[in-house]
Amino acid sequence: MLLILKCQCNIIWLKLKYLSTIILIGDIMMLENDLKDSEMKYPDKDILRHVMDRIAKGETQLIETIGRADINLLWTGGFMVRGFYKAHNWTFDMPSIVGGSDRGPGPGPTLLASLGACLIIGVVYNAAIRDIKIYRLSVNVSGVKGDPRTFYTGFGGNPGYENIHLVFYVETEASEEVMRDLIEHSIRTSPVASSLRARITYDLKLSIRGRG
């Protein structure tokens, strides 16, 4: 059974439909084909439950470790920016139409990707804990910015995303009611989705050095 769930983040509406087939494009289709004969494995449930118990007991060091992220970013010319986090690194860039070299996704699409990844991880986590079997899971995330002119001119309305649309593709034997509850719960408890809804305080510090 393939379930498709759609939700619009600013209103939080949900709609489920049953489909027997689905068409995905580009790299997603290729990846789906590579995975179609593979058995998706959940994270180790014993480890998940152990972590849950430690958090429920208020283990301060663990809570602080999973609750904090420090990322360093470096401008590398043009609009390109390299990000560094632990052993990982990635490249941001802007499309060529606005003067970039298109060597990586922009910060906006990366934000949407982070939201989608966070929600998938949340669904997998909660499905594993609840013993709900999911065979395949993917999500399409699209966003519409309020007024893109503001970034380039300094004048206009909200330059950020005002509408974010999510479409979940789930292959599962679980019922519509079960999947609806699981995905709604994952959206409510998502750190990234919660950050997008929250009024965030920015603590700015500046270090300047000259040459010579």
Side-chain angles (χ1 to χ4, degrees), residues 125-171:
Y125 170 78
N126 286 287
I129 293 297
R130 302 183 192 185
D131 293 320
I132 298 172
K133 181 64 176 177
I134 294 177
Y135 301 101
R136 294 289 182 271
L137 172 63
S138 63
V139 62
N140 173 267
V141 187
S142 60
V144 179
K145 293 180 179 178
D147 193 345
R149 298 173 300 176
T150 306
F151 174 80
Y152 298 98
T153 67
F155 301 98
N158 175 22
Y161 292 108
E162 292 187 343
N163 292 285
I164 297 176
H165 303 270
L166 307 166
V167 182
F168 286 86
Y169 302 93
V170 190
E171 185 179 348

Side-chain angles (χ1 to χ4, degrees), residues 20-93:
S20 57
T21 58
I22 181 172
I23 298 177
L24 301 177
I25 61 173
D27 293 338
I28 294 291
M29 177 180 283
M30 295 174 61
L31 183 57
E32 283 279 314
N33 288 335
D34 291 341
L35 294 175
K36 65 182 180 180
D37 296 323
S38 303
E39 179 70 20
M40 295 294 100
K41 294 182 179 180
Y42 282 148
D44 190 307
K45 285 193 289 186
D46 290 336
I47 294 177
L48 296 182
R49 295 186 186 282
H50 179 60
V51 171
M52 284 180 63
D53 289 341
R54 292 171 63 190
I55 293 174
K57 293 175 181 177
E59 190 171 314
T60 304
Q61 184 175 356
L62 174 61
I63 295 172
E64 290 180 349
T65 298
I66 63 177
R68 180 179 179 84
D70 288 295
I71 301 170
N72 291 300
L73 298 112
L74 175 68
W75 175 49
T76 58
F79 282 138
M80 287 191 296
V81 176
R82 291 288 299 279
F84 301 89
Y85 176 65
K86 295 184 177 179
H88 312 289
N89 68 86
W90 61 96
T91 299
F92 299 94
D93 202 351

Side-chain angles (χ1 to χ4, degrees), residues 1-4 16-20 174-177:
M1 177 176 64
L2 182 67
L3 302 179
I4 291 190
L16 272 164
K17 293 182 179 180
Y18 292 87
L19 292 182
S20 57
S175 68
E176 175 181 340
E177 180 181 2

Side-chain angles (χ1 to χ4, degrees), residues 90-132:
W90 61 96
T91 299
F92 299 94
D93 202 351
M94 293 293 281
S96 57
I97 194 172
V98 295
S101 53
D102 222 356
R103 297 185 182 179
T110 303
L111 176 68
L112 298 181
S114 296
L115 172 62
C118 187
L119 295 177
I120 285 181
I121 290 170
V123 170
V124 169
Y125 170 78
N126 286 287
I129 293 297
R130 302 183 192 185
D131 293 320
I132 298 172

